[in-house]
Amino acid sequence: MARLQDHYKEQVVPQLMEKFGYSTVMQVPRIEKITLNMGVGEAIGDKKVMEFAVGDMEKIAGQKVVVNKAKKSVAGFKVREGWPVGCKVTLRRERMYEFLDRLINIAIPRIRDFRGLSAKSFDGRGNYSMGVKEQIIFPEVEYDKVDTLRGMDITITTSAANNDECRALLDGFNFPFK
């Protein structure tokens, strides 16, 4: 079992039950999945770019990545229907907790000029989204082998009903908010 999963069961659950007055453990919000998404618009001109992006993301996530294809042709962006335009990966259970552990304790402290994550990035339904400007904050990605810096979106989906419950849950994992 992952380190953060133990921490969740032993400390976060009792803390949240006390704070919000839940009658059963099943009411306590939990993290359901973490989704990583990388839009790779440059892949239109060069197919190699997508291979590099997929390789980086597979190293970060530790599992296979799904390549997103364009749903429609858009002349303004010079995109044809069916061309690869991005990649995503959904982490659940064990891998999700291991990724969250690496994100909080290793990757986020390596962000340049970091002053805390925005507390305004909750969507109102108990989910949190954040953007990362460069993939080299993750130690799995070797700095010398990176062709260009690419950003990605990280979305943490929880079972929390509202922002307050989600914020309390993430605070229990020592999320560095402003």
Side-chain angles (χ1 to χ4, degrees), residues 5 12 17 22 27 33 39 42 54 100 130 135 140 161:
Q5 201 167 359
V12 178
M17 282 186 77
Y22 298 123
Q27 288 177 304
K33 64 184 177 182
E42 314 95 69
V54 167
L100 191 64
M130 62 180 272
Q135 82 276 34
E140 297 86 5

Side-chain angles (χ1 to χ4, degrees), residues 73-93:
S73 298
V74 181
F77 296 124
K78 297 183 176 128
V79 176
R80 291 264 173 257
E81 186 178 333
W83 282 8
V85 290
C87 52
K88 70 174 181 183
V89 62
T90 302
L91 303 170
R92 296 176 196 270
R93 298 184 191 91

Side-chain angles (χ1 to χ4, degrees), residues 47-85:
K47 300 289 180 232
K48 267 275 193 249
V49 174
M50 185 55 92
E51 290 172 23
F52 285 124
V54 167
D56 285 349
M57 203 167 217
E58 282 179 351
K59 285 180 198 157
I60 291 167
Q63 71 181 42
K64 190 134 172 41
V65 173
V66 176
V67 175
N68 296 337
K69 305 234 185 327
K71 291 180 183 174
K72 287 182 174 179
S73 298
V74 181
F77 296 124
K78 297 183 176 128
V79 176
R80 291 264 173 257
E81 186 178 333
W83 282 8
V85 290

Side-chain angles (χ1 to χ4, degrees), residues 4 99-109 170 173-176:
L4 274 188
F99 173 79
L100 191 64
D101 196 3
R102 286 195 322 260
L103 179 72
I104 295 169
N105 298 316
I106 300 168
I108 290 178
L170 294 178
F173 286 117
N174 299 324
F175 236 71

Side-chain angles (χ1 to χ4, degrees), residues 89-145:
V89 62
T90 302
L91 303 170
R92 296 176 196 270
R93 298 184 191 91
E94 200 88 16
R95 281 203 189 105
M96 171 186 75
Y97 281 107
E98 284 170 12
F99 173 79
L100 191 64
D101 196 3
R102 286 195 322 260
L103 179 72
I104 295 169
N105 298 316
I106 300 168
I108 290 178
R110 291 175 60 163
I111 295 175
R112 265 188 271 163
D113 302 331
F114 183 68
R115 290 191 186 85
L117 295 171
S118 171
K120 296 179 181 174
S121 298
F122 292 98
D123 69 348
R125 292 201 162 89
N127 304 315
Y128 184 78
S129 298
M130 62 180 272
V132 173
K133 287 195 175 89
E134 41 195 39
Q135 82 276 34
I136 55 170
I137 63 167
F138 294 97
E140 297 86 5
V141 179
E142 293 175 45
Y143 185 75
D144 304 332
K145 295 183 179 169

